[in-house]
Amino acid sequence: MRRREFVALFGGAAAWMTPARAQRLAMPVIGYLGSESPEPYASRLKAFREGLAETGYIAGRNVAIEFRWAEGQYRQLPALATELVNRQVTVIVAPGGAEVALAAKSATRTIPIVFEMGGDPIALGVVGSLSRPGGNLTGVSSLSVEASLKRLEFMHELFPANRVFAVAANPTSPTSNSQLANLHAGASSLGLQLRILNASTEQEFEAVFAAVAGMQAGGLVFTSDPYFAYRSGQLAALAARHGVPAITQSRDFPVAGGLMSYGGDFDQSHRHAGMYAGRILKGERPADLAVQRVTKVELFINLKAAKALGIAFPPSILSSADAVIE
C-alpha cells in the first residue's frame, strides 16, 4: 500500500471514529462523594439513580458517574473532593451528611454541588438561604438531626420510671454540639439526666454498650450521624449482646434486629438529590434551586427485639409506628 493510500485510509478511519469518541467526551460526568463504601450506600444509591432517571439521565447511557469513597474516614473527604474537582466533573453530589457537603464546598466555588444532609444547611454554613441558596450549592435537608430529641421522648415513654438515659454522640460530627444542647434542654424539661458517651470509631462501640449496661440507664439514644446510620447491623448486634434497649435514626437498625428507630426517610432525600443533579445537568443553576426540606420522619419498631429484652410497647407508641417488625 502506497503512503498516500495509507494516509487516506487512516484519515477516513479517524473521521469515522470521531463522532463516537466525541459523544463519550461530551457525556456529562457526576462526581459522587461518599463518606463510606458502596455497600452501606446501596439502598440510597438506588434511590439516587431513580431520581436521576426521572430527569432522563441513565448512568452509562447518557451520563457517567465517578465515585470517591472515604471508607468511614471523614478526614479523607477534602482530598477526595479535590480529586473530583481536578477531574473536572460536571456536578458533584455530596450525600450523607454535613461532613461531605462541607468537604465539597471547600474544594470548589464553581462546579455545581448537590448535597443531602440531616442538619440545618444555614446553621452549618453550607448555604446562606434555603429559598435562594446562591453560589454553587443546593440540595436536600431532612429532619434527621431535629429528631434526636424525639428519640429521647420515645425512650422515656417506654421507660417512664427511669430518670437516667445514655446518649451516644460522635464528637467529630459538625452537628454533635447542637444535638446535645437540644437533648440536654429536653431532658431538663422532662426531669431526666443524660450520660453522654462518645464514639467516633467502630472500636469504641463495644465500650459504649458495656457502659450503658453498667450505669443502669433506661436505654441508649443515638444522635443523628451518618457514621452510626451506616453501621446499623453492627450496632444491632451489640445491643442484643449487651441487652441494651436502643433507638437510632435509621430504619436499618430495627431491620437488623435493633429495638427502634426514628428519623428521616433516606430513600426520599436521596431520590430528590438525584432529581436535582439531573436538573443541573439540564442547565439549571444551583443558585436558583431552593433547598428542599424532606419533612417525612418514620418510626420503626422491632417486636422480636422487644420480646428478647422483656419490653412491652405501650399502645401510644405502637399506634405511632410507621412499621412494626414481627
Side-chain angles (χ1 to χ4, degrees):
M1 181 182 296
R2 289 178 297 181
R3 182 177 182 277
R4 181 178 299 174
E5 294 173 341
F6 175 79
V7 171
L9 178 61
F10 179 80
W16 175 77
M17 293 173 62
T18 296
R21 184 172 184 271
Q23 184 178 6
R24 288 197 299 272
L25 291 175
M27 183 182 293
V29 179
I30 294 174
Y32 192 101
L33 182 62
S35 60
E36 297 293 336
S37 57
E39 291 77 16
Y41 267 74
S43 62
R44 295 161 175 79
L45 270 173
K46 179 176 180 292
F48 171 77
R49 292 177 188 273
E50 289 172 351
L52 193 61
E54 289 184 35
T55 65
Y57 286 98
I58 307 296
R61 182 183 302 172
N62 56 358
V63 66
I65 304 179
E66 286 208 7
F67 296 94
R68 294 295 185 276
W69 300 104
E71 305 289 345
Q73 304 298 315
Y74 290 173
R75 64 180 181 274
Q76 295 183 8
L77 287 168
L80 296 175
T82 299
E83 285 185 20
L84 292 174
V85 171
N86 292 338
R87 172 63 177 81
Q88 296 182 335
V89 297
T90 314
V91 58
I92 294 176
V93 174
E99 301 87 348
V100 190
L102 291 170
K105 181 180 181 180
S106 68
T108 178
R109 294 184 180 181
T110 55
I111 296 176
I113 297 170
V114 177
F115 60 80
E116 183 278 332
M117 66 172 66
D120 182 347
I122 295 178
L124 292 164
V126 177
V127 295
S129 167
L130 296 181
S131 59
R132 302 285 292 182
N136 62 318
L137 288 94
T138 189
V140 186
S141 177
S142 68
L143 295 178
S144 291
V145 167
E146 290 92 332
S148 290
L149 178 55
K150 187 63 178 178
R151 285 183 218 118
L152 176 63
E153 293 174 355
F154 276 130
M155 195 62 76
H156 175 49
E157 189 175 354
L158 191 56
F159 301 102
N162 286 86
R163 312 314 297 172
V164 177
F165 290 89
V167 173
N170 181 355
T172 67
S173 169
T175 65
S176 179
N177 289 338
S178 62
Q179 290 188 72
L180 290 178
N182 290 337
L183 283 165
H184 279 298
S188 178
S189 66
L190 294 171
L192 304 177
Q193 297 179 22
L194 302 182
R195 301 287 185 267
I196 309 303
L197 302 169
N198 289 326
S200 58
T201 67
E202 294 182 10
Q203 291 71 28
E204 295 172 299
F205 289 166
E206 183 86 40
V208 166
F209 283 94
V212 176
M215 68 176 59
Q216 297 182 335
L220 176 60
V221 177
F222 277 84
T223 56
S224 295
D225 189 85
Y227 194 81
F228 297 147
Y230 290 124
R231 287 159 179 79
S232 294
Q234 183 179 353
L235 297 177
L238 286 169
R241 185 189 310 161
H242 289 275
V244 172
I247 180 170
T248 77
Q249 76 185 95
S250 174
R251 71 172 78 161
D252 295 338
F253 179 69
V255 168
L259 180 64
M260 232 184 335
S261 70
Y262 184 75
D265 185 343
F266 291 117
D267 286 350
Q268 188 179 19
S269 60
H270 281 73
R271 184 176 295 106
H272 283 304
M275 293 171 64
Y276 259 18
R279 290 176 64 177
I280 290 172
L281 291 177
K282 286 180 177 294
E284 295 190 60
R285 300 191 313 152
D288 299 330
L289 295 173
V291 174
Q292 295 193 34
R293 293 283 283 175
V294 175
T295 58
K296 179 184 177 182
V297 288
E298 50 189 17
L299 172 65
F300 275 56
I301 292 172
N302 188 317
L303 291 182
K304 183 178 179 180
K307 182 178 181 181
L309 292 166
I311 297 171
F313 274 99
S316 59
I317 296 182
L318 286 174
S319 63
S320 301
D322 295 271
V324 176
I325 300 170
E326 304 285 349

